[in-house]
Amino acid sequence: MSPRPESVIFIDKQLVWMTCGVEVGYQILLAPRTSGIVWLDVIEQAFPHFEIGGQQLRAAEVTYEGGRAMAVAFFDPSHCDSSSRPIKHFMLWLDVEPMVFDKAAMVSVPELLQQLAPAFSVILDASRYISEPDICRQAWEKQSERSLRLAFSGKNMPVKNAGSKPSTAKSNLPMDALSSDDEEALVFPKKFMMMAIVMVVLAIIAALFEVFGLA
């Protein structure tokens, strides 16, 4: 079924898209060029700690400076990163028609990603040595189609561990475990925080020994 006219999104003005590639980490791939808004903060407002929490697409309405947006997040149905974790997609659809807010959870993910395939191919195949600005520039240049037509089929494909390595344990984990582990790419790892605390405690103990002549 063809989408209604209200389901057209203009990429230059209404789409913010954060995702990652096989080798490169998460970054804002497409966003309005003239805006000074920190889109990363708006996305995290909708999805704290950038968690999706399951296989199904999640949708949430958020407000930002200048308007409101529909935020959607979902796992890629076909691609994984170099650690065999399903790639996440986070999108903001800015100031869309009311019908889109009502039906966002039923958007067809395969059709959506098919339209964005040119831009996605840039980050998907990018080397870790390519800078984020270069990836964004190449994605803009390759995405010749400047509008998205949203189809609301409600038949999103389940997440597949496509391309996962059979020899790795992660490829056999349930999706909840994968999504929890995947946050290492987006938030400060807890183990480094614990190491920092231990180092501070040891420094305090050493100082006390020196002050009281216990060494």
Side-chain angles (χ1 to χ4, degrees):
M1 181 177 65
S2 299
R4 293 169 52 185
E6 293 91 340
S7 60
V8 173
I9 291 180
F10 296 101
I11 294 176
D12 292 354
K13 299 179 179 180
Q14 293 180 287
L15 176 67
V16 178
W17 179 19
M18 182 176 79
T19 189
C20 74
V22 174
E23 294 189 3
V24 299
Y26 285 88
Q27 69 172 75
I28 299 295
L29 185 62
L30 297 177
R33 291 185 172 184
T34 58
S35 175
I37 299 172
V38 181
W39 294 117
L40 198 66
D41 293 343
V42 182
I43 293 173
E44 190 171 19
Q45 176 187 339
F47 308 108
H49 308 297
F50 306 101
E51 294 179 352
I52 297 180
Q55 297 186 23
Q56 298 301 317
L57 177 145
R58 289 185 58 196
E61 181 179 342
V62 293
T63 57
Y64 67 97
E65 182 181 350
R68 66 172 185 157
M70 174 53 65
V72 296
F74 53 90
F75 288 100
D76 193 284
S78 303
H79 298 97
C80 296
D81 64 15
S82 59
S83 297
S84 302
R85 298 172 296 197
I87 289 175
K88 296 179 180 181
H89 297 278
F90 299 90
M91 294 184 183
L92 297 174
W93 301 335
L94 309 178
D95 303 313
V96 291
E97 295 293 330
M99 186 271 290
V100 177
F101 284 92
D102 294 337
K103 295 188 176 182
M106 296 185 295
V107 71
S108 173
V109 168
E111 292 188 39
L112 177 63
L113 291 179
Q114 182 179 9
Q115 296 175 77
L116 292 170
F120 186 42
S121 67
V122 173
I123 191 170
L124 190 65
D125 300 331
S127 164
R128 66 186 64 185
Y129 302 108
I130 301 179
S131 67
E132 289 189 10
D134 284 342
I135 292 175
C136 290
R137 177 182 55 79
Q138 293 177 30
W140 272 106
E141 293 174 352
K142 200 162 186 179
Q143 185 67 38
S144 58
E145 180 59 51
R146 294 301 186 185
S147 63
L148 295 177
R149 298 186 65 84
L150 304 181
F152 301 101
S153 66
K155 297 180 180 179
N156 290 330
M157 295 174 61
V159 176
K160 299 177 182 178
N161 283 341
S164 60
K165 303 173 183 177
S167 60
T168 60
K170 287 183 180 178
S171 62
N172 296 321
L173 290 175
M175 185 55 59
D176 287 343
L178 284 169
S179 62
S180 176
D181 184 62
D182 192 36
E183 303 311 319
E184 293 182 2
L186 294 170
V187 297
F188 189 74
K190 293 183 179 179
K191 62 181 180 181
F192 293 122
M193 185 69 72
M194 294 301 299
M195 290 173 60
I197 294 174
V198 171
M199 292 178 64
V200 170
V201 172
L202 291 176
I204 293 174
I205 294 175
L208 290 175
F209 269 78
E210 183 176 352
V211 170
F212 293 101
L214 299 177

